Amino acid sequence: MPVATFGTLGLIAEIPAAPLEAPISYLHGWGRSRNDFAPVANQRPGMLLDLPGFGSSAQPPVGMGSAEYAVEVLAAITEWADSERVLLVGHSFGGRIALQIAASAPQSVRGLIIAGTPLFRDESRSRPPLAYRVARRLHRLGLASDARLESARKKYGSADYSAASGVMRETLIKVVNESYQAELNQIRCPTAFVWGRADSAAPVEDARRAQQIVEGSVLEERDCGHDVHLQHPALFVELIDRILGQ
């Protein structure tokens, strides 16, 4: 598919060569790129977008939460789709952004497919290890150097945190502390949640809870981990057809 730039940040995206009757936009997860959804888009063409700071798209100018990402991503999608309502398909971080768009700009969204997205902040899951909290406290008191704190961050932080730096680390800190109860309460479009029962990054209990919040939504569970979109692309094709047929 042709590659072009869109939106105020000049985001890179692959787009279908011919106009689509029903635009679809695919939003990948943290640390991934537009290639993640290629197996699905090969069967149901749409906008394969590199989110700011990933793939071929430049980093955002400052650290942003998912709501700020949603503004930039919606600007790119609207430019491409010529203001037509779009079906958003998002995995993990991309699912956070899709939810924000659907809640803040419902007139722009025809439907949602959300996969493997951390939806509710769980203090017991997000609390840092004790050793890191001690190192952070000592640093605040001037008893530990910047180098020691950074060493503790790399040792006890997640792989995503260790790999990120600068504005992308600031962004990661913002988004991992978010919760989407309010956004889920605002969703009115056809919605499908797709989850792996063994997902350790986004527990399937989150999806079951969300499915009860979003009226008329469906939940598809599979015996796999976080990357349900890579292991079951045919399921996403089926759900796209189902939502667009409504």
Side-chain angles (χ1 to χ4, degrees):
M1 294 191 293
V3 176
T5 60
F6 296 93
T8 56
L9 294 183
L11 302 182
I12 305 301
E14 291 182 53
I15 56 173
L20 300 176
E21 181 176 344
I24 306 167
S25 183
Y26 298 97
L27 307 178
H28 63 78
W30 187 271
R32 308 295 187 90
S33 74
R34 64 182 189 265
N35 295 329
D36 251 27
F37 275 111
V40 182
N42 285 340
Q43 299 182 67
R44 298 296 180 269
M47 183 187 218
L48 283 168
L49 185 67
D50 277 340
L51 296 172
F54 302 103
S56 300
S57 291
Q59 293 184 2
V62 296
M64 303 191 303
S66 62
E68 291 80 15
Y69 261 75
V71 171
E72 300 297 341
V73 170
L74 180 59
I77 292 173
T78 301
E79 181 182 339
W80 166 66
D82 195 24
S83 299
E84 290 290 324
R85 290 192 304 151
V86 65
L87 169 59
L88 298 174
V89 184
H91 172 250
S92 198
F93 182 48
R96 297 176 187 260
I97 297 168
L99 280 173
Q100 293 282 13
I101 293 174
S104 63
Q107 73 284 354
S108 299
V109 180
R110 181 168 179 173
L112 283 175
I113 299 176
I114 304 295
T117 299
L119 297 172
F120 306 100
R121 188 182 181 203
D122 186 334
E123 295 292 342
S124 66
R125 295 201 307 257
S126 60
R127 188 174 176 85
L130 175 61
Y132 172 69
R133 284 183 276 132
V134 169
R136 186 172 60 186
R137 177 64 174 167
L138 291 173
H139 180 264
R140 288 173 179 168
L141 293 173
L143 301 176
S145 65
D146 292 346
R148 181 177 174 184
L149 179 60
E150 183 62 20
S151 176
R153 283 170 172 163
K154 291 181 178 179
K155 183 175 181 179
Y156 298 108
S158 68
D160 286 338
Y161 183 88
S162 298
S165 61
V167 297
M168 298 312 296
R169 180 173 285 185
E170 293 174 21
T171 293
L172 181 62
I173 292 171
K174 287 177 181 288
V175 299
V176 298
N177 287 308
E178 294 178 348
S179 187
Y180 304 98
Q181 174 85 40
E183 287 76 14
L184 288 165
N185 281 322
Q186 297 177 62
I187 302 304
R188 297 292 182 268
C189 63
T191 301
F193 298 99
V194 189
W195 244 258
R197 296 188 183 96
D199 192 333
S200 59
V204 69
E205 288 78 13
D206 280 13
R208 294 167 182 166
R209 179 179 169 187
Q211 194 264 333
Q212 296 300 312
I213 294 172
V214 181
E215 185 176 353
S217 64
V218 298
L219 170 60
E220 295 282 351
E221 299 181 19
R222 294 296 183 270
D223 290 323
C224 63
H226 189 54
D227 292 334
V228 61
H229 62 307
L230 298 179
Q231 297 185 351
H232 296 281
L235 173 59
F236 284 77
V237 173
E238 176 187 330
L239 289 170
I240 288 169
D241 290 347
R242 190 187 308 173
I243 290 177
L244 292 182
Q246 293 182 10

